[in-house]
Amino acid sequence: MPGEGSMLHALISSRNNKRNRIDKLKRMENTSYETTEFVDHVQATPELLESIREKMLAERKLEQKKLLLKVGLFLIMLAIVLYVFNYNWKWIEGFFYKVK
Protein backbone atom coordinates (compact mmCIF):
# COMPACT_ATOMS: atom_id res chain seq x y z
CA MET A 1 0.00 0.00 0.00
CA PRO A 2 1.46 3.34 -1.01
CA GLY A 3 2.06 6.02 1.56
CA GLU A 4 2.94 3.79 4.49
CA GLY A 5 6.51 5.07 4.65
CA SER A 6 5.46 8.69 4.89
CA MET A 7 2.93 7.90 7.60
CA LEU A 8 5.55 5.97 9.52
CA HIS A 9 7.89 8.96 9.37
CA ALA A 10 5.09 11.25 10.58
CA LEU A 11 4.46 9.00 13.58
CA ILE A 12 8.17 8.77 14.42
CA SER A 13 8.53 12.55 14.11
CA SER A 14 5.54 13.08 16.40
CA ARG A 15 6.99 10.69 18.99
CA ASN A 16 10.38 12.40 18.87
CA ASN A 17 8.78 15.83 19.27
CA LYS A 18 6.93 14.62 22.36
CA ARG A 19 10.20 13.32 23.81
CA ASN A 20 11.93 16.64 23.20
CA ARG A 21 9.07 18.53 24.83
CA ILE A 22 9.19 16.30 27.92
CA ASP A 23 12.98 16.70 28.14
CA LYS A 24 12.64 20.48 28.03
CA LEU A 25 10.03 20.42 30.78
CA LYS A 26 12.24 18.21 32.95
CA ARG A 27 15.19 20.54 32.44
CA MET A 28 13.06 23.48 33.50
CA GLU A 29 11.88 21.64 36.63
CA ASN A 30 15.36 20.53 37.63
CA THR A 31 16.89 23.98 37.91
CA SER A 32 19.24 24.41 40.83
CA TYR A 33 18.40 26.89 43.56
CA GLU A 34 21.50 26.28 45.66
CA THR A 35 22.65 29.89 45.53
CA THR A 36 19.29 31.37 46.50
CA GLU A 37 17.78 31.19 49.92
CA PHE A 38 14.24 30.01 50.50
CA VAL A 39 11.95 32.79 51.70
CA ASP A 40 8.57 32.03 53.19
CA HIS A 41 6.54 34.93 51.83
CA VAL A 42 3.80 34.47 54.38
CA GLN A 43 6.12 34.97 57.37
CA ALA A 44 8.64 37.28 55.68
CA THR A 45 9.16 40.70 57.18
CA PRO A 46 8.58 43.80 55.05
CA GLU A 47 12.29 44.63 55.35
CA LEU A 48 13.28 41.24 53.90
CA LEU A 49 10.82 41.60 51.05
CA GLU A 50 12.13 45.10 50.33
CA SER A 51 15.73 43.85 50.25
CA ILE A 52 14.74 41.09 47.83
CA ARG A 53 12.93 43.64 45.67
CA GLU A 54 15.96 45.93 45.62
CA LYS A 55 18.25 43.05 44.69
CA MET A 56 15.98 41.99 41.85
CA LEU A 57 15.73 45.56 40.55
CA ALA A 58 19.53 45.87 40.60
CA GLU A 59 19.92 42.60 38.68
CA ARG A 60 17.34 43.69 36.11
CA LYS A 61 19.06 47.05 35.71
CA LEU A 62 22.41 45.32 35.10
CA GLU A 63 20.83 43.01 32.51
CA GLN A 64 19.29 46.02 30.75
CA LYS A 65 22.66 47.77 30.62
CA LYS A 66 24.27 44.68 29.12
CA LEU A 67 21.51 44.41 26.54
CA LEU A 68 21.82 48.08 25.60
CA LEU A 69 25.57 47.69 25.24
CA LYS A 70 25.16 44.67 22.96
CA VAL A 71 22.51 46.42 20.84
CA GLY A 72 24.66 49.54 20.61
CA LEU A 73 27.71 47.58 19.50
CA PHE A 74 25.62 45.73 16.94
CA LEU A 75 24.25 48.98 15.52
CA ILE A 76 27.73 50.50 15.32
CA MET A 77 29.06 47.43 13.51
CA LEU A 78 26.06 47.47 11.16
CA ALA A 79 26.66 51.15 10.38
CA ILE A 80 30.33 50.47 9.63
CA VAL A 81 29.48 47.56 7.32
CA LEU A 82 26.84 49.61 5.50
CA TYR A 83 29.27 52.50 5.14
CA VAL A 84 31.95 50.25 3.68
CA PHE A 85 29.55 48.60 1.24
CA ASN A 86 27.93 51.89 0.23
CA TYR A 87 31.04 53.96 -0.49
CA ASN A 88 33.33 51.16 -1.70
CA TRP A 89 30.86 49.20 -3.82
CA LYS A 90 32.95 49.34 -7.02
CA TRP A 91 35.96 48.07 -5.08
CA ILE A 92 33.90 45.21 -3.60
CA GLU A 93 32.37 44.31 -6.98
CA GLY A 94 35.88 43.76 -8.35
CA PHE A 95 36.28 40.70 -6.16
CA PHE A 96 33.33 38.93 -7.76
CA TYR A 97 33.53 39.93 -11.43
CA LYS A 98 35.32 42.36 -13.72
CA VAL A 99 34.15 45.95 -13.44
CA LYS A 100 34.15 47.83 -16.76
Side-chain angles (χ1 to χ4, degrees):
M1 293 195 321
E4 290 179 5
S6 61
M7 195 61 216
L8 178 65
H9 290 293
L11 292 172
I12 290 172
S13 177
S14 176
R15 184 181 64 210
N16 289 339
N17 289 340
K18 187 191 300 183
R19 284 183 190 161
N20 289 341
R21 188 175 64 237
I22 290 171
D23 287 345
K24 287 179 185 175
L25 290 174
K26 284 183 181 177
R27 275 186 258 141
M28 288 176 60
E29 289 173 0
N30 293 333
T31 55
S32 176
Y33 294 108
E34 293 174 1
T35 58
T36 60
E37 61 186 54
F38 176 74
V39 177
D40 186 11
H41 295 290
V42 176
Q43 297 176 353
T45 62
E47 294 82 17
L48 179 62
L49 292 175
E50 185 65 28
S51 68
I52 293 171
R53 180 179 179 276
E54 292 296 326
K55 186 170 76 169
M56 290 178 68
L57 287 174
E59 289 175 0
R60 188 178 306 143
K61 194 172 191 178
L62 183 65
E63 288 176 6
Q64 285 178 346
K65 284 183 182 180
K66 287 181 182 178
L67 179 65
L68 284 175
L69 180 66
K70 289 177 184 177
V71 169
L73 288 175
F74 174 76
L75 290 176
I76 290 171
M77 293 299 294
L78 181 66
I80 291 171
V81 168
L82 289 176
Y83 175 79
V84 167
F85 275 103
N86 192 24
Y87 288 107
N88 298 320
W89 185 247
K90 294 290 183 188
W91 180 74
I92 293 169
E93 282 180 334
F95 285 119
F96 301 112
Y97 59 89
K98 283 266 187 183
V99 178
K100 294 179 183 179

